Amino acid sequence: MARIAVIGAGMGAMAAAARLAVAGHRVTVYERSGGYGGALGRHTEEGFAFDTGPGLLHLPAVYRDLFVKTGKEPLERCVTLTQVDPASRHLFADGTDVRLPNASRAGTVAALDAALGGGAGAKWGAFLDRARDAWDRSRRPLLEEPLRPDWQVLGRDPYPAVERRRLLRPARRATTVAEAGALELADPRLAALLDGYVLAYGLDPGRAPAGAALLPYMEETFGSWYVMGGMRELAHAVYERCLARKVEFVFGAEVARVVVADGRAAGVELADGTVAEAAHVVLGARPWPGLLPGGELWADGEVTVRPGAAAGSGASGRFTVLLSLRGGRPADAVHRTVVHPADGAAEREAVFGGRTAERPTVTVLRPDDPATRPDADHEAVTLTATVAPHGPVDWTDEALRTRFARTLVSVAEAAVPGLGDRVLRTRVRTPAETAADTGAEGGAVPPPALAGAGGAFLHPANRTRLPGLLLAGGWAHPGGGLAHAGMSGALVAGTVVEGDGFRGSR
């Protein structure tokens, strides 16, 4: 039995803590804020409740595995998971309206054929077949194993792009998501659909490798799920599982640095000077200057020097508008609607160029959940857009915040007619709030790791070059997102328990 210090109480860190405690270790979590859950926040006000982080769960198998491996109660006995059906509604600039069913390839193909015509469903289905190949080729080394020493093999794009022959010009294959949409999907609405999936993860479709096709494949194959009571309930369930496994939490405890002794991590020093000894330290947050004396965490030429996908894709954050509405939620309302702009390229240039987009892609969430509203005569609606981080854009500027919030409401009117007239109260959260709550520079949101682009979209390995120090959470392999964070916790725990021989779960 060893003493282990975990820095941060995000989902990846707690997933690692629970697994390590079950393995017999004494685990203490040090969290700078007063709560747990990281990005899975919750805002409540006068009977209304809103998720301030991810609104849906994909790949629930990751958390089902966590609960199976850490106790007798399965995930579904701790939270109520509901499949969102339709999985999403998409509104395009030309007025096209399509609803995609949850986890049904045939249903998706039929819906796209009916709404877009011209064999659109067949084109999307063929694209998903290629995306499945990318998933099969990269799933294990990218998601289920520690980052390999020869990580350069993940620099090759696993997506089998179609060769397009051109008259009097060389044949061409897509290397980015945007190129895949233009060359292989052809229909601008299908291209916008693909861009929207990738942009929602904080990635630039114009730079992300074509292998990012595995993101829509993952959602459309394994489905979209909502946790009744709000996604925060998932964080609460993981926290309770940690407590049941005797994990100790110390809140309001900011870690200043990792203590190093005899060439390995030996504990943590808090901001107040308190030192807690540990045989292993798990960092569940983005590394910061001064974390280690001399900066031993990074080494030129090693994958650990890579700051993560933010360097390869351009960092981005989330702008969220929480709307308390008069009037009940209609029975035929869709949980998630994505309103696509006419000019996606202009949006990408703005977001990843450090500006605000004039017409952003807006995701509208309308959960059918009594816990989100005071009664049946009211409704809680959340609007979200991917934006530039705080710094390039001053998200503390009240005039800008108000103006951009109005833009999102205006765009969302396409999904919820009369939305602006129903608003009782508006609350805005920007990358500035994300930075204050999580400590992430600029309020950037970590995207998932991707193969391709020479490894520019990989995240730092879970094992660092300092023995005894490991990385978990969205800023470590395999990157951001609820499912990916849970995977990182499993990889860290396996590395500690099994040592150098650990190669991932089978």
Side-chain angles (χ1 to χ4, degrees):
M1 178 185 293
R3 186 178 296 278
I4 297 176
V6 177
I7 304 172
M11 296 299 285
M14 289 198 296
R19 290 175 181 271
L20 288 167
V22 166
H25 298 291
R26 292 175 293 170
V27 184
T28 302
V29 176
Y30 299 92
E31 167 58 43
R32 64 190 288 270
S33 73
Y36 54 84
L40 278 183
R42 189 79 165 162
H43 175 78
T44 58
E45 187 172 5
E46 297 187 9
F48 292 92
F50 307 85
D51 289 318
T52 59
L56 292 170
L57 174 65
H58 307 291
L59 278 179
V62 172
Y63 287 93
R64 289 185 177 124
D65 182 70
L66 170 64
F67 277 72
V68 166
K69 299 291 177 57
T70 60
K72 296 180 179 179
E73 284 189 312
L75 176 62
E76 277 81 357
R77 287 183 58 183
C78 300
V79 298
T80 301
L81 285 176
T82 61
Q83 276 195 304
V84 175
D85 203 4
S88 57
R89 177 190 181 198
H90 295 267
L91 300 177
F92 299 97
D94 67 350
T96 302
D97 183 338
V98 59
R99 301 184 180 201
L100 303 182
N102 200 336
S104 171
R105 171 75 68 86
T108 294
V109 168
L112 289 172
D113 273 337
L116 277 63
K123 289 179 182 177
W124 186 256
F127 161 74
L128 287 182
D129 285 339
R130 295 188 291 275
R132 179 188 59 206
D133 289 343
W135 170 265
D136 290 341
R137 293 174 181 178
S138 60
R139 174 181 58 85
R140 184 159 183 80
L142 186 65
L143 302 177
E144 298 177 354
E145 296 179 343
L147 200 60
R148 296 164 49 165
D150 59 339
W151 57 267
Q152 290 84 353
V153 299
L154 289 172
R156 296 192 292 269
D157 198 323
Y159 180 75
V162 177
E163 183 176 82
R164 295 299 181 193
R165 298 187 180 278
R166 301 179 294 173
L167 185 64
L168 302 179
R169 289 183 294 174
R172 185 180 177 189
R173 294 178 186 269
T175 60
T176 68
V177 169
E179 289 176 350
L183 295 175
E184 299 179 11
L185 298 177
D187 189 312
R189 294 164 296 185
L190 289 179
L193 177 62
L194 173 57
D195 282 0
Y197 275 111
V198 175
L199 188 65
Y201 283 91
L203 293 160
D204 179 358
R207 299 178 67 186
L214 59 82
L215 298 175
Y217 172 80
M218 180 180 72
E219 289 197 23
E220 294 196 12
T221 301
F222 303 109
S224 299
W225 302 75
Y226 175 72
V227 179
M228 294 301 292
M231 295 299 293
R232 174 71 179 174
E233 289 300 306
L234 178 62
H236 179 70
V238 176
Y239 172 68
E240 290 291 332
R241 178 55 53 91
C242 285
L243 294 180
R245 302 283 80 82
K246 308 303 182 184
V247 174
E248 180 183 359
F249 285 80
V250 183
F251 295 107
E254 183 173 0
V255 173
R257 67 183 183 92
V258 173
V259 176
V260 179
D262 299 324
R264 62 172 294 115
V268 296
E269 180 180 335
L270 305 184
D272 64 4
T274 302
V275 173
E277 296 181 354
H280 298 275
V281 176
V282 176
L283 176 61
R286 194 174 191 179
W288 62 88
L291 172 68
L292 291 173
E296 294 93 337
L297 183 60
W298 313 125
D300 290 339
E302 296 182 22
V303 72
T304 48
V305 77
R306 313 186 70 85
S313 64
S316 67
R318 300 286 186 272
F319 188 100
T320 304
V321 183
L322 313 176
L323 298 174
S324 302
L325 304 181
R326 64 174 63 89
R329 180 184 186 276
D332 62 349
V334 175
H335 187 117
R336 175 176 57 166
T337 299
V338 182
V339 185
H340 300 270
D343 191 347
E347 178 187 18
R348 297 196 304 267
E349 290 174 4
V351 171
F352 298 99
R355 307 187 305 279
T356 56
E358 292 186 9
R359 198 73 175 176
T361 299
V362 176
T363 298
V364 183
L365 295 180
R366 308 177 72 182
D368 185 10
D369 184 354
T372 65
R373 53 187 182 261
D375 53 52
D377 294 325
H378 295 84
E379 183 181 7
V381 170
T382 302
L383 313 180
T384 305
T386 298
V387 296
H390 182 53
V393 174
D394 182 7
W395 288 117
T396 64
D397 184 331
E398 283 299 330
L400 173 61
R401 293 160 64 97
T402 299
R403 183 171 66 252
F404 199 66
R406 288 174 179 168
T407 296
L408 264 64
V409 172
S410 175
V411 171
E413 290 268 0
V416 189
L419 175 64
D421 295 333
R422 296 175 56 195
V423 176
L424 292 170
R425 186 179 301 102
T426 301
R427 292 289 181 262
V428 172
R429 288 184 56 85
T430 76
E433 282 74 36
T434 303
D437 291 347
T438 68
E441 182 180 356
V445 177
L450 297 173
F457 290 78
L458 297 175
H459 286 265
N462 306 109
R463 187 195 300 271
T464 72
R465 68 191 300 257
L466 177 68
L469 176 62
L470 300 104
L471 307 183
W475 294 109
H477 177 73
L482 273 177
H484 292 71
M487 294 175 191
S488 78
L491 293 175
V492 165
T495 300
V496 172
V497 173
E498 297 187 26
D500 292 340
F502 179 65
R503 294 294 180 267
S505 58
R506 294 289 178 181

